[in-house]
């Protein structure tokens, strides 16, 4: 945290940002402001100097072609990103960004791609494609009293193979998830999580945003206290969107062979 501001580092916003992933950054900024915390958003592009410090890291969704183009840069910044996560900085990796944050991405053709290694897992392409609404019960540590039920959207054909002892991000209520046997989704390490939940996930699930910000603030000795009066309107929008997902979760999309 610099000059009483939480620094949000958005990694590869152009290459890995095809699913409205800036919405996750916007949710963090908006809810932090409502709680009286200033923020600074730094965007990292390939070849830049990676900031030496950050309070939250966001990696969004992107195609395999983008991951391939980033190979050398991924190797260059992998160790610092792992250090952020091990130091308690919440790293939020979504969609292809989650794949890239595992140890390796295994495509259906060609050599595996080395990932950041934030999560002890690997992403194997070629699974049944799941395009559907997504309902989860998260295992991420939320603020007291917060609902563990999350809603969103998934669109991927990846199997996530978690190493022994890795905690999933959530249990699947409806959807595909990691597609590796057990009905679970994503991965958690410390205060970081990876998931294929899009939507974007943070605006749709404010309780998750609050918990990420609380973890980031606590790490630098600050308190994060959500102000429900200031967030009443966006909370209502999120609540209505989640209710729509619940209503239609079994009536749309499904599998694509």
């Amino acid at each position: 945290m610099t000059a009483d501001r939480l620094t949000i580092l958005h990694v590869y916003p152009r290459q890995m940002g095809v699913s409205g992933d800036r919405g996750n950054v916007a949710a963090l900024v908006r809810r932090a402001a409502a709680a009286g915390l200033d923020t600074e958003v730094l965007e990292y592009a390939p070849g830049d100097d990676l900031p030496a410090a950050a309070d939250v890291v966001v990696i969004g969704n992107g195609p395999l072609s983008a991951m391939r183009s980033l190979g050398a840069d991924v190797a260059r910044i992998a160790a610092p990103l792992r250090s952020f996560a091990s130091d308690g900085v919440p790293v939020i990796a979504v969609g292809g960004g989650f794949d890239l944050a595992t140890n390796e991405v295994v495509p259906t053709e060609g050599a595996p791609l080395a990932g950041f290694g934030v999560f002890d897992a690997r992403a194997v392409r070629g699974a049944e494609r799941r395009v559907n609404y997504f309902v989860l019960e998260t295992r991420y540590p939320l603020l007291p009293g917060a609902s563990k039920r999350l809603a969103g959207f998934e669109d991927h054909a990846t199997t996530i193979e978690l190493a022994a002892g890795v905690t999933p991000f959530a249990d699947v209520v409806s959807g595909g998830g990691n597609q590796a046997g057990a009905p679970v989704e994503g991965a958690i390490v410390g205060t970081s999580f990876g998931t294929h939940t899009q939507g974007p996930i943070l605006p749709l699930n404010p309780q998750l945003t609050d918990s990420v910000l609380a973890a980031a603030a606590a790490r630098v000795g600050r308190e994060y206290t959500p102000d429900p009066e200031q967030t009443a309107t966006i909370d209502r929008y999120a609540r209505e969107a989640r209710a729509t997902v619940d209503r239609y979760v079994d009536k749309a999309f499904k599998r694509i062979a």
Side-chain angles (χ1 to χ4, degrees), residues 184-246:
V184 297
E185 161 60 15
I188 296 173
V189 57
T191 59
S192 300
F193 69 84
T195 179
H196 281 109
T197 314
Q198 300 168 29
I201 185 174
L202 294 186
L204 271 174
N205 301 280
Q207 74 275 34
L208 185 58
T209 313
D210 288 338
S211 300
V212 169
L213 288 169
R219 180 177 168 274
V220 293
R222 293 287 300 275
E223 289 188 5
Y224 172 79
T225 305
D227 185 340
E229 290 188 4
Q230 292 199 44
T231 61
T233 299
I234 56 176
D235 286 350
R236 176 171 57 83
Y237 291 155
R239 189 165 55 249
E240 292 172 352
R242 293 196 307 274
T244 298
V245 171
D246 279 335

Side-chain angles (χ1 to χ4, degrees), residues 92-145:
I92 302 166
V94 178
F98 173 35
D99 295 350
L100 197 60
T102 67
N103 297 326
E104 66 174 0
V105 181
V106 182
T108 55
E109 297 181 358
L113 310 176
F116 294 126
V118 172
F119 304 101
D120 192 4
R122 66 178 198 153
V124 181
R125 296 297 183 98
E128 176 184 65
R129 187 163 202 92
R130 297 295 302 224
V131 183
N132 42 251
Y133 292 126
F134 209 14
V135 179
L136 307 168
E137 291 283 332
T138 187
R139 301 190 194 183
Y140 190 79
L142 302 179
L143 296 181

